[in-house]
Amino acid sequence: MLNPWETTDIKDYNKLIEEFGITPMKPTKELMDNRYFRRGIIFGHRDFFKFWNADKRSILTGIMPSGPMHLGHKMVVDQCVYYQNKGIKTRIAIADVEAITTRRIPEEKAREYAVEEYLLNWVALGLDLDKADVYAQTNRSVPYYRLASLLSGRTTMAEMQAIYGELTPGKVTSIFIQASDILHPQLDEYDGLEHVLVPVGVDQDPHIRFVRDLAEKIHFIKPSSTYHRFMTGLEGGKMSSSVPNSYLALNDDLPTALKKASNVLTGGRNTAEEQRRLGGDISKCVVYELYAYHFIEDDDELKKIYEDCTSGKMLCGECKQILKKKVEEFMTDLKNKREANREKVEQFAKEKLFK
Amino acid sequence: MLNPWETTDIKDYNKLIEEFGITPMKPTKELMDNRYFRRGIIFGHRDFFKFWNADKRSILTGIMPSGPMHLGHKMVVDQCVYYQNKGIKTRIAIADVEAITTRRIPEEKAREYAVEEYLLNWVALGLDLDKADVYAQTNRSVPYYRLASLLSGRTTMAEMQAIYGELTPGKVTSIFIQASDILHPQLDEYDGLEHVLVPVGVDQDPHIRFVRDLAEKIHFIKPSSTYHRFMTGLEGGKMSSSVPNSYLALNDDLPTALKKASNVLTGGRNTAEEQRRLGGDISKCVVYELYAYHFIEDDDELKKIYEDCTSGKMLCGECKQILKKKVEEFMTDLKNKREANREKVEQFAKEKLFK
């Protein structure tokens, strides 16, 4: 029987697991305090438990400062904050080299995105900036860049094209800098050999495999990874940065956010009568996905909604009112926290990040 | 009438000049104290006089630490020492990233070549290490690497392939690092906009054009360049690092050097009688080229040899004795100077270059 919180069909992911040798995630009891593990949203991994059980370990993620931050990005933030709260060293790379060279974002704009869209929201979502190692690719260190340069000598164009498709010079550069993001913590100039976890969406697995291969070639510990599911777009289909109505941006103003919430795709039936009789088709319902991924932490609360929906007791209109209330609370709280931390974050950006 | 010191047919170079828009070098009186200008060995340039007449100017060259240093490399050293003696800021990039990623030289070996083959000889040939800015690509600075990274976003793969042929990832990386070698002096973190001269062999012109295009795109001053002729291989044909008998290596031991000197191709005739009658064919004579390029500074002395040869007064045997004496003096002096400076150079390498 399907868990109430396993709304997405896992079959697609099983194919990925089989094809690329990703290990299915079987979370231990310890991890059950995290809803992404508990609800099967993180469905696979490579060497996760080597990381989890290691004495020397850290996590790393990248921020691409090329557009608005949305709920899809929030999934990584939540995971990083979870690990940071467990006392695990947290590194965050602002991928501004990549934004500038491959997405043609002007330097100043990339810096603005990094702060306004990302860092402020990361802190509002719980990141402890003082304890994290946040850096910009344009401003890291000589050993970091040296590693990126030398890694470029350890692979071939054919190998890269097989993974990344057509390459531009900027893309080639960015790939090795991204590889150095993941591997440089293991340099002697940083913390030496250690287990580094990179939590990503499953579409990032090719990068992970590429970097794991490079790690092996230079006798570093292969980085670990976890894979989470994609979020569905608010109106169905893919959630995509290029389609504003497909996502809730963390900086959307409240009227915009509430309007997007009103338009979220549900699993509603053709008529109220039919829905009372059959219950909602929750497997298609993006409202429910939003609850499960983001807005309802408590399993009992989520389970009640699941039952009220599938039994036909609660119709979509009522449920959307709940969603809108959750969205309003979340967005208001987030905005307040952004503003409360603005001075600190801007000072950090100016003095440390882009010094 | 051909100058006595213009031994190589200039026609081949004229073709290059016409095809690629290189400006023929017409040295001013001021430059006549340098034999490479005086003897037409430096035959072309781009924007040389913009550099020469600028208040803010520097020169830059690269050292590729992937094999022995020979007389072909010495031509660049002599030019750099010339400019340094005029008070012009001199920058030297040890291209170890390139040696490691594109020529598969192990890191330790690249460092060894850099010191044993190159730096020691540069200093022995007159470089003032204290006044020069000598650095290794693996160890420059964050702004230098940042520039290399960002430059990669300003061109296309097609453009690069047209210039460099087939590319490996290491080659792509090296090309932008080399571009940053030439352009980074103009960063605010270094000396700001200035005229940078890169003295090269004419085969390097495609790199120069590529970097000049990049300079324009980022609103830097386009670097200037001079082009010198190739040296002929000792036994005729090309001088090539992969053919030890084609070059005199600065670290060759004396018996090897003298043996190579004995075998240098001359413009001798079939018989002594014929040579007495017709004179030597000095246009084919590599001994004469060695004098003109390296071993005879005094024009009168060179002219006398020219006349004695072409008039049939002096035959090749006698001339080779002169060459061998010059080679012995040069190699002995160079070795003494290397050893006299060894401690200083090794300390510099350890503390500054590869710190």
Side-chain angles (χ1 to χ4, degrees):
Chain A
M1 202 190 94
L2 197 69
N3 261 332
W5 31 82
E6 286 190 354
T7 53
T8 315
D9 194 341
I10 193 75
K11 275 180 200 147
D12 297 341
Y13 294 109
N14 279 340
K15 196 180 152 217
L16 286 167
I17 285 174
E18 279 163 28
E19 198 163 333
F20 296 112
I22 292 172
T23 307
M25 173 58 80
K26 300 204 191 322
T28 54
K29 211 171 164 185
E30 241 188 333
L31 294 162
M32 286 299 180
D33 57 347
N34 182 291
R35 68 178 182 281
Y36 293 112
F37 285 113
R38 199 167 67 231
R39 295 175 183 165
I41 297 167
I42 295 170
F43 68 91
H45 70 95
R46 292 185 190 272
D47 288 348
F48 173 80
F49 290 99
K50 283 190 188 172
F51 152 81
W52 187 246
N53 297 318
D55 291 326
K56 275 192 72 186
R57 57 183 184 170
S58 66
I59 62 156
L60 180 133
T61 191
I63 285 174
M64 169 66 71
S66 66
M69 178 170 178
H70 59 59
L71 287 183
H73 303 116
K74 175 177 170 288
M75 296 172 73
V76 172
V77 182
D78 292 340
Q79 292 173 60
C80 289
V81 169
Y82 171 75
Y83 294 118
Q84 190 183 42
N85 288 340
K86 300 265 180 204
I88 298 171
K89 186 161 185 176
T90 302
R91 304 179 206 265
I92 300 164
I94 312 274
D96 54 353
V97 166
E98 192 168 348
I100 296 162
T101 63
T102 73
R103 306 198 178 196
R104 309 253 156 239
I105 307 291
E107 278 182 64
E108 283 313 308
K109 193 75 190 160
R111 291 177 179 205
E112 190 189 315
Y113 278 134
V115 174
E116 285 298 319
E117 290 288 338
Y118 290 88
L119 267 193
L120 279 166
N121 280 313
W122 270 77
V123 172
L125 289 167
L127 180 79
D128 183 341
L129 201 56
D130 297 327
K131 287 188 186 157
D133 177 9
V134 184
Y135 67 91
Q137 288 179 333
T138 52
N139 200 32
R140 187 52 159 174
S141 70
V142 167
Y144 162 82
Y145 275 116
R146 180 194 300 137
L147 178 61
S149 301
L150 298 185
L151 287 172
S152 74
R154 309 305 293 258
T155 183
T156 65
M157 223 46 144
E159 201 177 332
M160 291 183 75
Q161 280 160 343
I163 294 169
Y164 297 100
E166 198 166 346
L167 293 165
T168 62
K171 184 93 188 155
V172 172
T173 294
S174 297
I175 288 166
F176 292 110
I177 286 184
Q178 191 187 65
S180 188
D181 285 325
I182 297 174
L183 297 177
H184 84 284
Q186 297 192 59
L187 286 171
D188 289 339
E189 291 90 341
Y190 286 85
D191 293 343
L193 296 185
E194 70 173 20
H195 289 269
V196 178
L197 173 73
V198 191
V200 293
V202 68
D203 57 319
Q204 302 297 305
D205 186 52
H207 303 271
I208 297 291
R209 278 181 285 140
F210 183 69
V211 177
R212 282 168 58 90
D213 285 350
L214 287 174
E216 201 160 29
K217 285 176 188 168
I218 62 171
H219 309 295
F220 277 20
I221 295 173
K222 291 204 270 185
S224 304
S225 51
T226 57
Y227 303 100
H228 56 255
R229 298 162 184 233
F230 299 123
M231 284 197 68
T232 311
L234 297 184
E235 302 181 350
K238 280 189 182 173
M239 182 173 289
S240 160
S241 292
S242 56
V243 184
N245 282 334
S246 76
Y247 58 78
L248 186 62
L250 301 192
N251 288 0
D252 275 344
D253 57 32
L254 193 56
T256 305
L258 291 176
K259 189 165 173 235
K260 286 181 177 177
S262 300
N263 292 335
V264 171
L265 179 75
T266 69
R269 306 288 178 178
N270 290 330
T271 63
E273 183 279 322
E274 195 182 334
Q275 191 157 345
R276 293 274 179 219
R277 186 159 44 84
L278 300 172
D281 182 357
I282 208 159
S283 71
K284 287 181 182 157
C285 180
V286 180
V287 177
Y288 187 74
E289 187 182 315
L290 288 167
Y291 293 151
Y293 281 47
H294 292 290
F295 296 126
I296 297 181
E297 182 64 44
D298 181 55
D299 286 355
D300 290 336
E301 185 184 348
L302 187 64
K303 197 175 176 193
K304 182 162 192 313
I305 287 180
Y306 181 85
E307 287 167 353
D308 288 353
C309 169
T310 52
S311 67
K313 188 173 164 195
M314 177 171 68
L315 299 190
C316 294
E318 187 185 341
C319 189
K320 277 231 178 132
Q321 291 309 315
I322 297 173
L323 176 68
K324 285 169 80 171
K325 189 150 172 284
K326 301 260 179 210
V327 166
E328 180 164 358
E329 278 172 13
F330 171 74
M331 296 296 276
T332 306
D333 179 56
L334 197 66
K335 188 177 177 183
N336 290 340
K337 285 179 176 159
R338 275 200 305 270
E339 296 316 316
N341 287 287
R342 177 174 289 280
E343 198 178 342
K344 180 187 178 140
V345 171
E346 286 180 348
Q347 194 183 348
F348 170 80
K350 198 176 155 190
E351 290 174 10
K352 302 268 177 71
L353 204 53
F354 301 116
K355 65 173 180 288
Chain B
M1 203 192 94
L2 197 70
N3 263 329
W5 30 84
E6 288 190 353
T7 53
T8 315
D9 195 342
I10 193 75
K11 274 178 201 151
D12 297 340
Y13 295 110
N14 279 338
K15 199 182 149 214
L16 286 168
I17 285 174
E18 281 162 26
E19 198 164 332
F20 296 112
I22 293 172
T23 308
M25 174 58 80
K26 299 204 192 323
T28 54
K29 212 172 162 185
E30 240 188 332
L31 294 162
M32 287 300 181
D33 57 345
N34 181 293
R35 69 176 182 281
Y36 292 113
F37 285 113
R38 201 165 67 231
R39 294 174 184 167
I41 298 167
I42 295 170
F43 68 91
H45 70 95
R46 293 186 190 271
D47 288 348
F48 173 79
F49 291 100
K50 285 190 188 170
F51 152 80
W52 186 244
N53 297 318
D55 291 328
K56 274 192 72 186
R57 57 183 183 170
S58 66
I59 63 158
L60 180 132
T61 192
I63 284 173
M64 169 66 72
S66 65
M69 177 170 180
H70 57 61
L71 287 183
H73 303 115
K74 175 177 170 288
M75 297 171 74
V76 172
V77 182
D78 292 341
Q79 292 173 60
C80 290
V81 169
Y82 171 76
Y83 294 117
Q84 189 183 41
N85 288 340
K86 300 265 181 202
I88 298 171
K89 186 161 183 176
T90 302
R91 304 179 207 264
I92 301 164
I94 312 275
D96 53 353
V97 166
E98 191 168 348
I100 296 163
T101 63
T102 74
R103 306 196 178 197
R104 309 251 157 240
I105 307 290
E107 279 183 64
E108 282 312 308
K109 193 73 189 160
R111 292 178 177 204
E112 189 189 318
Y113 277 134
V115 174
E116 285 298 318
E117 290 288 338
Y118 290 89
L119 268 193
L120 279 166
N121 279 313
W122 271 78
V123 172
L125 289 166
L127 179 80
D128 183 342
L129 201 56
D130 297 326
K131 288 188 185 154
D133 177 9
V134 184
Y135 66 91
Q137 289 179 331
T138 50
N139 199 32
R140 187 51 160 173
S141 69
V142 167
Y144 162 83
Y145 275 116
R146 179 194 300 137
L147 178 61
S149 299
L150 298 185
L151 287 172
S152 74
R154 310 304 293 257
T155 185
T156 64
M157 222 47 143
E159 201 177 330
M160 291 182 76
Q161 279 159 344
I163 295 169
Y164 297 99
E166 198 166 346
L167 294 165
T168 61
K171 184 89 188 157
V172 172
T173 294
S174 296
I175 287 166
F176 292 109
I177 286 184
Q178 191 187 64
S180 188
D181 285 326
I182 297 174
L183 296 177
H184 83 284
Q186 297 192 58
L187 287 170
D188 290 341
E189 291 91 341
Y190 285 85
D191 293 342
L193 295 184
E194 71 172 19
H195 289 268
V196 178
L197 173 73
V198 191
V200 294
V202 69
D203 57 318
Q204 303 296 306
D205 186 52
H207 303 270
I208 297 290
R209 279 182 284 139
F210 181 70
V211 177
R212 282 168 59 89
D213 285 351
L214 287 175
E216 203 160 27
K217 285 176 188 168
I218 61 171
H219 309 294
F220 277 19
I221 296 173
K222 290 202 271 186
S224 304
S225 52
T226 57
Y227 303 100
H228 56 255
R229 298 163 182 231
F230 299 123
M231 285 197 67
T232 312
L234 298 184
E235 301 180 350
K238 281 189 181 172
M239 182 173 288
S240 161
S241 292
S242 56
V243 184
N245 281 335
S246 75
Y247 59 77
L248 187 62
L250 301 192
N251 287 0
D252 275 344
D253 58 31
L254 194 56
T256 304
L258 291 176
K259 190 167 172 231
K260 286 180 177 178
S262 301
N263 292 336
V264 172
L265 180 75
T266 70
R269 306 290 177 177
N270 290 330
T271 64
E273 183 280 322
E274 196 183 332
Q275 190 156 346
R276 293 276 179 216
R277 187 160 44 86
L278 300 172
D281 183 358
I282 208 161
S283 71
K284 288 182 183 156
C285 181
V286 180
V287 176
Y288 188 74
E289 188 183 315
L290 288 167
Y291 292 152
Y293 281 48
H294 292 289
F295 297 125
I296 298 182
E297 182 64 45
D298 182 53
D299 285 356
D300 290 336
E301 185 185 348
L302 187 64
K303 197 175 175 194
K304 184 163 189 312
I305 287 180
Y306 181 86
E307 287 166 354
D308 287 353
C309 169
T310 53
S311 68
K313 190 175 162 192
M314 178 172 67
L315 300 190
C316 295
E318 189 184 338
C319 189
K320 278 230 177 129
Q321 291 309 314
I322 298 174
L323 177 68
K324 286 170 78 172
K325 190 151 170 282
K326 302 260 180 210
V327 166
E328 178 163 0
E329 279 172 14
F330 170 75
M331 296 294 277
T332 306
D333 179 57
L334 197 67
K335 187 176 178 184
N336 290 339
K337 286 178 175 160
R338 276 200 306 269
E339 295 315 316
N341 286 288
R342 176 173 290 280
E343 198 179 343
K344 181 187 177 140
V345 171
E346 287 180 347
Q347 194 183 347
F348 170 81
K350 197 177 157 190
E351 290 174 10
K352 302 267 178 70
L353 204 53
F354 302 116
K355 66 172 179 288

